[in-house]
Structures are given as structure tokens and as C-alpha cells.
Amino acid sequence: MKKSYGEYFNKPSLKSARKRLTKDTPNIDFQRHINIKDVGQGKHYLIQTYGCQGNEADTETMKGILEALSFKETQREDHADLIILNTCAIRENAENRVFGELGRLKKYKRINPDLILGVAGCMPQEEDVVNRLLEKYHHVDLIFGTHNIYKLPEYLESALMNKERVVEVLSEEGSIVENMPKKREHHSKAWVNIMFGCDEFCTYCIVPYTRGKERSRKPQAIIEEVKELVKSGYKEVTLLGQNVNAYGRDFTDINYTFADLLDDLGQIEMPRIRFTTSHPNDFDEQTVKVLAAHANMMPHIHLPVQSGSNAILKKMNRKYTKESYLKLVQTIRKHIPNVSLTTDIIVGFPGESETDFKETLDLVEQCDFEGAFTFVFSARKGTPAANYQDNTAFTEKKERLQRLNTIINAGYKRGHDRFKGKTVEVLVEGVSKKDDHIMAGYTRHNKLVNFPGDVSLVGTLLNVKVNETKTWFMQGEIYEDA
Ligand code: 5AD
Ligand code: SF4
């Protein structure tokens, strides 16, 4: 049966999402919006998360809101009264997976006609996706985007109580909502959003459209959150933003940069601080110095380069050159000599020649990366690069990806080898997937280590001596001081 639309029917527009009209960002306090009604009493939810850490953090917020409304989490699709897919739009295959999943989940609507199926996150921010959902996926009841998670209580009331279909995707510039409840996935490490959105407009990227304009949380709100996490026993935080180095650029009342934020967080007794993602163009020497000055700043920097060819970097609107990137890497290594660097690379950008690709391989060799996320270019409708002429065959692009990955994988191994025989500090995360007596954790350089131990060690920081290194992980044993 086709449901009627209720109060909410707002479709997105990529054209509006492109606009950057004001610098000021409204700050909203969640408490004023929460609808206290126990709409979730006796009901179960399940959220599937796709994409980046930003989505993982958003899922924690959705779970927090749902539990505040008395929903309980379930892992079983056949037990769920509400299933939400928190989606990613960065590449076409991410989207195809979600459409496939929506097809598969249809059977649960037949078993339980009251099941609410929702699509959230970045995909609903694209008008074509919403049109396709409205035309072909009538079993989807709830569609909302990245800007209005805080309105989930109202949407659920409409969908559950009034049995109405809810479609509300906002394409305006976005706000910051503080004090949203969160159900954190981990007990020893946490995500902390420091900013939202992106104003870089790299020509291949959909994020500035799906996540809106760059807007920074107030320093005090971030510092308080990290202090609270220390009190709750957390050992590690990862500061999140699409371009963390642009933090504070949008403040109109104070002069406060990412380096200032790191300097303030460096004084807090949080044992480990990480951040992602950086943009090379905005990464200044002051930031590097602050990182070097504090023992709780982890010596791992993820610094997406995307390409080593100046012509391609220009077409990508990255605003730096191969030479300036290499210089930044040199500056980082000067101040943090044992740093571990990882990166993101796109191969097969429109117009990328074999010579351009070789420039990328050359840059990779020079930078000594210890890991990378590598992708074949995916045309995203609405972005400039989707209209660029592209004469390279897909098979050729795949081959370039393989050639690149061979070098990248050797980098992973080298990054592990340098710790062989050494003692490393590990934050224990859990038991290994394959063996209950093997524990898994991450080092300060963000390397995965397995070692014999028991579950009581989860959440602790301890020293492990590395005995064996593989491409994807290291093996060791707990090192007891004499
Ligand atoms: N095609 C392929 N890869 C992309 N990325 C972003 N947009 C695209 C696209 N259209 C990659 C970039 C970015 C990472 C998160 O995803 O490398 O750093
Ligand atoms: Fe996308 Fe570029 Fe912004 Fe990163 S910096 S989110 S690649 S537009």
C-alpha cells in the first residue's frame, strides 16, 4: 500500500547545496527539540552504517536519540521495528550497495508491515537518489539527510504514530547542534566532531554538497567533551572533520585555529589524540610544531594527496603542487621524525595520462607512505569532474590501481618492519576475530598488533614487544617491565 505524505515533504537540491551565502552558523541546543514521548517503547532498531568516520559518529548520535526515545538496539533484522541505512555518496559503488540492500530488506516489510525502513546520511542529499527512492522504492518510509538528524524524534512520531511517509532533506547551509545524546560504539576510544562540512570543492567530490558549508564547533564545547571523555575513562579521541586544518576559519568573533585547538587539547589528560582528515593546503608549520610538542598527539598523520601530477592536481582543484606536498612532508618529518604517514589516492581522474600516473608513483616512493586508501575515480553527478572528458578505459584504470597498490602494500609492510623487535604501546580494543585468546589493539602509530592475552585487558594501554610483522598487522607478546 502506498502511504500518504504527512507534514514532511522536502526534497534536496544540489544547486542550493552548492551555495555559500553566510559565514555565521546557527548553534542549536538539542534539548529544546527533543520530543519526550516514548515512541520507541517496546520497539527495536537496527542501523547499518556505510562510509566514513563522520557517518559512524552520526550513527552514534542516531542511536543516542533512539535510546532516549526508549527504543532498544537489535542485531536481528527480523526483530527490528525500525531499520535505518546511514549511507555514503562518495563513490557509485557505495550507492549501488545501498540500493541492493534496500531490495534485500523488502522481505522484512512483508513479514512485518509495521516495520519502518529509513534512508539517512549522504545519499538522500542528492536529488536523483531521492527521486529514485520515491519512484521505485515505495517500501522506504523515512528519508532524511545529514543536516537534520536532531529532528529524528518528530519524524518517528509522524512515521510511527500517523503512519505517514517522511521525506525531509535540507540543502541549506547547515547548523551546529550541541548536546545531542550519543551511544558510543567503543568504551576506550571516541569520535569527537570538531567541524562539519567542507568548502574546498575538489572537482571530483560530492561532500561539499552533501555535508554543507564548513562550520566549526566552539572550542569550549570540544574541550568540555574531551574532558568529559577523560572522566568516563576514555583513552583515545579522534577529532573529526572533512578538513580539520580549516578549523576555526569560519569564526567571526574569535581568532582561533586548529593549532590552537591542538595546543589546548594537548594539556588535557587524554592519553591519545588523533585527527582526520587533513588537507595539505591548510596544514601549516605551526600545527606541526604543536603536534610535536605534546606527548598525547599521536605520531600518525593521514594526509590525502590524491595525485602526484601537477596537471591533475590543478584539474582536481587541490590548490597545491607535488613539490609543495613534498615540502610539507619534509617539514612534518623534521619536527616528528618517526611519524607514520598515510594518504588517499585517486587513479584514473579524467585526463590522467600514463605520465601523470607515473608522477603519482614517484611521489608515493618519495613520501614513504605506510598505508593508503586508493580508489578509481567515480563520476559523481553534479560535480564538475563528472563532465570532464575521460578517454582512459576502465580496464586501464584498474591496472593502474593494481600497480599502485603493489607499492602501497610494500609500504604497509615496511611500516610494520620498522617496529620489529621493539616495544610498542598498545590500546587494547578487543579479542581477535579468529581466536578468543588473542587480543587486538593499535599502537601510537596506528598499527594493528595481535598478542596472546585475555578479555580483561580490553580498554587498557600496555606495552607489547613486536616479534613478527606481516603486511596488514604485527604479532607480539605483552612486555613486562623488570
Ligand atoms: N571518486 C573516487 N574517489 C573519491 N574520493 C572522493 N571523491 C571521489 C570520487 N568521486 C576519495 C578521495 C577522498 C576519499 C575520502 O575518497 O581520495 O580523500
Ligand atoms: Fe571532498 Fe576535497 Fe572536501 Fe575532502 S577536501 S571532503 S576531497 S571536497
Side-chain angles (χ1 to χ4, degrees), residues 90-91 204-206 304 306 344-346 373 375-380:
I90 200 108
R91 281 169 292 274
Y204 50 81
C205 187
I206 194 76
Q306 314 299 358
D344 289 349
I345 296 169
I346 299 176
F373 297 120
F375 313 98
V376 171
F377 168 75
S378 168
R380 309 311 297 135

Side-chain angles (χ1 to χ4, degrees), residues 198 200-202 204-205 207-208 242-243 279 306 318:
C198 181
E200 286 298 326
F201 289 100
C202 301
Y204 50 81
C205 187
V207 170
Q242 301 298 340
N243 172 10
H279 191 299
Q306 314 299 358
R318 291 291 289 181

